[in-house]
Amino acid sequence: MSQRLLVTGASGFVGWNLCREARTGWEVCGLVHQAEDAPPGVTAVRADLRDSARLPQLLDECAPTAVVHLAAVADTGACQRDPAGTYPLNVAVPARLARLCAERGLPFTFASTDLVFAGTNAPYAETARPDPVCLYGRQKALAEDLVLADRKSTRLNSSHRI
């Protein structure tokens, strides 16, 4: 069985470059929302990740052996102006994807941001407590907590190996 990687946010800077690099060792399925292109050699799938009913279907369609979640509304101004509009992609989607991946026994990688910290005590240890000063940072810190809590509870309550 070949290794298949699902990358959300494949049209963003980090996602595009990850897809480009990963395609040499993986079959890559890149999820895009607004931009229509992904690097050559990557299967681009247009999807709105905020449609929670569609997430299991996307996992079925792409049939990944691992998932890297990079999609987010990273514009701090947009988060401040529209907290309710950015919450689904920045918080609810990573939590839902983590749960779906855990249920399927799929490795799940979630990218956060340095904005979960105020920047006053750098460098931060991996175990440092978040202290965000902007809404985007607070959303990502909450998403981190939900992803980690869900992965731990699934690990304890499931026969799937994570």
Side-chain angles (χ1 to χ4, degrees):
M1 182 173 157
S2 66
Q3 297 291 314
R4 185 169 299 167
L5 182 64
L6 172 62
V7 178
T8 69
S11 58
F13 179 78
V14 175
W16 196 93
N17 283 288
L18 174 64
C19 288
R20 187 175 56 88
E21 291 299 317
R23 69 185 177 193
T24 60
W26 297 74
E27 286 182 47
V28 181
C29 180
L31 298 185
V32 298
H33 180 239
Q34 293 178 354
E36 294 181 318
D37 59 344
V42 171
T43 301
V45 176
R46 192 169 174 85
D48 184 348
L49 295 174
R50 297 169 298 180
D51 179 357
S52 65
R54 178 96 165 94
L55 293 179
Q57 295 169 350
L58 288 168
L59 289 173
D60 291 342
E61 287 171 26
C62 294
T65 53
V67 175
V68 177
H69 178 58
L70 301 173
V73 178
D75 179 334
T76 58
C79 292
Q80 291 298 130
R81 288 187 302 277
D82 187 13
T86 56
Y87 180 92
L89 190 58
N90 288 347
V91 180
V93 169
R96 175 96 163 113
L97 269 178
R99 170 154 295 200
L100 290 169
C101 288
E103 290 170 355
R104 295 164 185 247
L106 296 173
F108 177 80
T109 300
F110 168 67
S112 189
T113 176
D114 60 341
L115 294 177
V116 298
F117 301 112
T120 57
N121 295 310
Y124 289 92
E126 184 71 24
T127 56
R129 184 181 175 145
D131 60 341
V133 296
C134 68
L135 183 59
Y136 175 65
R138 289 193 299 274
Q139 287 178 339
K140 292 299 264 191
L142 177 56
E144 285 180 10
D145 289 345
L146 293 171
V147 165
L148 289 171
D150 186 61
R151 298 298 282 188
K152 288 176 185 172
S153 69
T154 305
R155 185 177 299 130
L156 296 173
N157 299 318
S158 170
S159 62
H160 292 111
R161 185 168 171 225
I162 300 172

